[in-house]
Amino acid sequence: MKAAIIRSHGGAEALELVEDWPRPVAGAGDVVLRVKASALNYHDVFTRRGMPGIKLDLPVVPGLDLAGEVVEIGEGVTDFKVGDGVLVDPLNRVEGGLMGETVDGGLQQYARVRAHQLVPIPEGVTYEQAAALPVAYGTAHRMLFTNGGIKAGDTVLVLGASGGVGTGTVLLAKLAGAHVIACGSSAEKLERLKAMGADEVIDYTRSDFTKDIYARFGKPHRRTYDGGVDVVVNFTGGDTWIPSLRALKRGGKLLTCGATAGFDPKEDLRFIWTFELKILGSNSWAREDLVALLDHIAAGRLSPVIDRVLPLEDAREALRLIEEREVIGKVVIAP
């Protein structure tokens, strides 16, 4: 069968399309899926490049997020049947491991998955929509609600708003009734962000977003709760970290779930204690997040932003688009 594989870490050329990859067979507790959709994430870029401190058994098929149709049932599987449409929770919460990293992921025509990782896809939800959820929207859902506790009326500044997690954050924050300020790097991205519901936008390449926040909401006051925003969502890190602290009002929250622009930024503790700020980290998602997101889509409350759907033959280009940040929302592969 066809698959996109990584034999050794490196640049774009390290993702290789092959046509003789072994088709998986279901063992006890497994199902085999005909992969209908696999959404790419920046994590797949890290997998291709190689991650410090993480050693993978290569070759491997990347692609954490996948959805498909059950075509084979292994011994002992009773909760699913051939023909079921399912989303895969990429995290194996029983034996450990991660799809697309420790076991072969979604960039192949068929995938073997542990049955306990499957989540039924409700009627009215497409495979592409389901595959867009786990890493980006699942992480955003946990960050905003389980850990962040955002509520209607909060002012929420979202950095990196045009990517997968970013667009998910914008949509979910609006669903909660928040006032959302989205940051992007081009007029096109800002227009798209406004079209998907952002109340305000900031081009961070043309201005200091902290000064923009001061101009719009006032400078934070250390003795009152005037000025600044309630929440900053920052999963980029790097040189945006201290400006994010500066943008928060007294008692504000900085939510983070990653560090795509650098994990060891400068810090300024004065802002944290002076303004009584809360720094809240969030790691991955829970199965309950995925179920809630699927229900939102089925009910018409949420529509994941999908930039484009490409064939497996274009997997290398798809990963490049993610790496170069040339997309708005998710890139999905349809093997």
Side-chain angles (χ1 to χ4, degrees):
M1 68 174 184
K2 293 181 180 179
I5 69 171
I6 298 170
R7 298 186 193 274
S8 60
H9 298 302
E13 73 288 345
L15 186 65
E16 174 188 351
L17 181 69
V18 299
E19 298 190 2
D20 59 351
W21 195 248
R23 175 171 165 165
V25 176
D30 296 335
V31 302
V32 172
L33 304 182
R34 171 71 171 93
V35 180
K36 296 288 190 175
S38 180
L40 293 175
N41 298 278
Y42 212 87
H43 189 101
D44 297 303
V45 175
F46 291 141
T47 299
R48 190 206 67 206
R49 290 177 181 171
M51 295 171 280
I54 298 178
K55 181 175 175 57
L56 302 182
D57 292 327
L58 300 177
V60 68
V61 176
L64 284 77
D65 290 339
L66 64 148
E69 178 185 350
V70 176
V71 295
E72 184 183 339
I73 298 286
E75 180 184 352
V77 176
T78 59
D79 293 335
F80 298 92
K81 64 183 185 303
V82 171
D84 283 349
V86 294
L87 169 65
V88 178
D89 180 347
L91 285 167
N92 185 329
R93 303 173 190 278
V94 178
E95 296 97 354
L98 182 66
M99 299 295 297
E101 184 180 284
T102 59
V103 296
D104 288 343
L107 297 189
Q108 54 183 336
Q109 292 178 300
Y110 295 89
R112 182 174 62 224
V113 183
R114 301 294 285 165
H116 62 73
Q117 292 178 247
L118 302 181
V119 182
I121 297 177
E123 185 177 350
V125 180
T126 69
Y127 286 113
E128 291 83 3
Q129 289 174 321
L133 294 179
V135 172
Y137 286 72
T139 297
H141 192 275
R142 179 176 177 80
M143 175 174 59
L144 292 175
F145 301 112
T146 305
N147 295 324
I150 74 161
K151 61 187 183 302
D154 281 347
T155 50
V156 180
L157 174 66
V158 183
L159 304 185
S162 60
V165 177
T167 53
T169 298
V170 170
L171 293 178
L172 291 170
K174 287 302 301 176
L175 193 61
H179 182 92
V180 176
I181 310 99
C183 291
S185 60
S186 70
E188 177 192 4
K189 289 181 177 180
L190 296 180
E191 283 300 314
R192 290 281 299 277
L193 287 165
K194 289 210 74 170
M196 70 180 68
D199 298 286
E200 304 181 51
V201 293
I202 295 174
D203 185 341
Y204 65 84
T205 67
R206 294 179 174 271
S207 64
D208 180 334
F209 69 81
T210 305
K211 291 181 179 179
D212 267 315
I213 292 299
Y214 292 175
R216 300 177 194 210
F217 300 96
K219 189 174 182 179
H221 194 286
R222 71 178 64 190
R223 302 299 182 194
T224 70
Y225 295 93
D226 299 319
V229 297
D230 297 294
V231 178
V232 175
V233 176
N234 183 333
F235 44 81
T236 59
D239 59 10
T240 65
W241 189 255
I242 290 178
S244 296
L245 298 176
R246 293 175 181 267
L248 284 164
K249 66 170 51 178
R250 181 183 175 191
K253 303 172 185 176
L254 198 161
L255 309 182
T256 184
C257 62
T260 56
F263 65 88
D264 56 350
K266 290 183 178 180
E267 184 62 275
D268 194 327
L269 296 177
R270 295 173 299 175
F271 286 95
I272 296 175
W273 61 260
T274 299
F275 292 93
E276 299 180 331
L277 302 181
K278 302 172 182 66
I279 314 300
L280 301 172
S282 191
N283 184 16
S284 71
W285 57 91
R287 184 185 181 91
E288 291 75 17
D289 296 308
L290 303 184
V291 172
L293 290 164
L294 288 167
D295 288 345
H296 281 314
I297 298 173
R301 295 186 294 266
L302 177 68
S303 180
V305 178
I306 297 174
D307 189 280
R308 67 195 75 184
V309 179
L310 297 172
L312 185 59
E313 289 76 9
D314 291 340
R316 182 182 290 181
E317 169 64 6
L319 202 56
R320 185 198 68 79
L321 291 168
I322 297 290
E323 186 171 17
E324 300 298 328
R325 306 182 193 281
E326 294 182 10
V327 297
I328 299 173
K330 303 294 294 182
V331 176
V332 176
I333 297 295

